[in-house]
Amino acid sequence: MKKKSIFIVATLVLIAAAAVVGIKWYRGYLREQERNQSGIVLAFDDYMPENWEQYFDLFDEYDAKVTFFVNAISPTEFCEDARARGHEIGFHTTGHANLTELTEEEVYEQAIAPIEAFREAGFEFTTFAYPYGAYTDELNQLLLQHYNVVRGAFKCEPHVKDYMKRGFVESMSLDNANFESREQYEARIVEILTVMSEAEEGAVVPVYSHAIGDGEWCVTEENLEFLLKKAKEMGLKFYTFQELQK
């Protein structure tokens, strides 16, 4: 009887040990899957809180996290609400200034000085987007002393995820002004998402707009949802810039 009890205890210990090993393996497998999951880095520039917050539920529906690049001198109620929904707050200067036309002191006031006010309120700025997409190598060198990533605005450039940890990256505009028709927009989006879905290792592509609507510097609600829906269908994930910097 004693031997039988010892056998049962030993068996239970082995089962428990196997379960622990299995759980560790599965967690590692999930981490590896996530590391290799390609996706989109979706952003909105300027400061359109009343417009952007109308679409929080739509973003939730497709599990899409967004980076909002704001023009502000300190955190706003929108910044708090967006962060609570899992989105990132990035910076876009205090007054949407073209930094290439400013003195070094003016650049500091527009793009660097507000960092402290946000930090004191619990916001860590790690990503900056250039207004008008206007930059120089000297500006990149200066701003990368204060941000992990600075973003331009004129190219569609897929990157492996590790590339997005630090440095300068370009981004493609989704604005209506760049497309002659909805058909042209949809064809371009499918082309980009197909490249992402076929990448052998995790790859991402940054895209952005300004607001959601029918204006030139907006993306229509239909076009936005087309992107969200297609990305989900193709197994792609929406990342924030900050998420990729970890």
Side-chain angles (χ1 to χ4, degrees):
M1 188 69 181
K2 186 176 182 181
K3 289 183 178 180
K4 185 176 181 181
S5 298
I6 293 173
F7 175 77
I8 293 173
V9 170
T11 301
L12 291 174
V13 169
L14 288 173
I15 292 172
V20 169
V21 171
I23 290 170
K24 287 182 178 179
W25 176 87
Y26 185 64
R27 287 175 177 171
Y29 170 78
L30 290 179
R31 285 195 296 270
E32 184 66 14
Q33 289 295 103
E34 184 174 352
R35 190 182 74 80
N36 290 329
Q37 187 175 10
S38 296
I40 312 298
V41 188
L42 174 63
F44 287 88
D45 292 5
D46 301 350
Y47 187 62
M48 314 285 184
E50 293 181 359
N51 176 269
W52 295 340
E53 64 190 7
Q54 293 180 47
Y55 296 92
F56 279 171
D57 289 343
L58 179 65
F59 296 136
D60 285 348
E61 180 181 345
Y62 290 96
D63 195 25
K65 303 307 179 188
V66 178
T67 302
F68 294 102
F69 288 106
V70 302
N71 301 119
I73 59 174
S74 59
T76 64
E77 184 177 352
F78 170 81
C79 295
E80 298 282 359
D81 292 344
R83 182 173 64 172
R85 302 289 286 257
H87 305 299
E88 175 186 0
I89 300 299
F91 202 45
H92 198 48
T93 73
T94 59
H96 204 270
N98 184 332
L99 298 187
T100 64
E101 299 175 351
L102 304 184
T103 65
E104 186 171 336
E105 181 179 351
E106 290 170 331
V107 168
Y108 181 84
E109 292 301 320
Q110 282 282 336
I112 299 170
I115 292 174
E116 189 57 33
F118 277 82
R119 181 173 294 141
E120 289 177 355
F123 286 83
E124 285 295 329
F125 274 156
T126 63
T127 318
F128 178 86
Y130 285 106
Y132 310 104
Y135 69 94
T136 63
D137 290 341
E138 291 74 18
L139 282 169
N140 282 345
Q141 291 175 15
L142 173 62
L143 293 177
L144 285 171
Q145 297 176 37
H146 303 276
Y147 299 92
N148 291 338
V149 170
V150 292
R151 196 215 73 194
F154 295 115
K155 296 179 183 177
C156 175
E157 290 191 350
H159 299 292
V160 295
K161 288 161 70 174
D162 284 347
Y163 182 88
M164 301 289 291
K165 289 182 180 297
R166 185 168 183 83
F168 172 79
V169 299
E170 281 285 10
S171 184
M172 187 189 85
S173 173
L174 301 175
D175 287 339
N176 300 323
N178 297 301
F179 301 95
E180 295 180 359
S181 66
R182 183 174 180 183
E183 290 73 22
Q184 184 190 45
Y185 169 88
E186 291 183 356
R188 183 64 173 138
I189 293 302
V190 169
E191 178 185 11
I192 293 168
L193 297 186
T194 300
V195 171
M196 293 297 98
S197 66
E198 294 177 351
E200 292 185 1
E201 57 181 311
V204 292
V205 61
V207 298
Y208 78 99
S209 186
H210 297 85
I212 301 160
D214 296 326
E216 283 191 337
W217 308 115
C218 303
V219 58
T220 66
E221 183 175 346
E222 293 78 14
N223 283 355
L224 174 62
E225 189 160 14
F226 181 84
L227 169 65
L228 298 173
K229 183 177 181 179
K230 280 294 179 184
K232 187 171 184 178
E233 288 176 355
M234 299 172 83
L236 299 172
K237 180 177 178 179
F238 284 90
Y239 295 93
T240 64
F241 282 92
Q242 205 166 61
E243 184 177 1
L244 293 169
Q245 295 164 22
K246 296 177 180 177

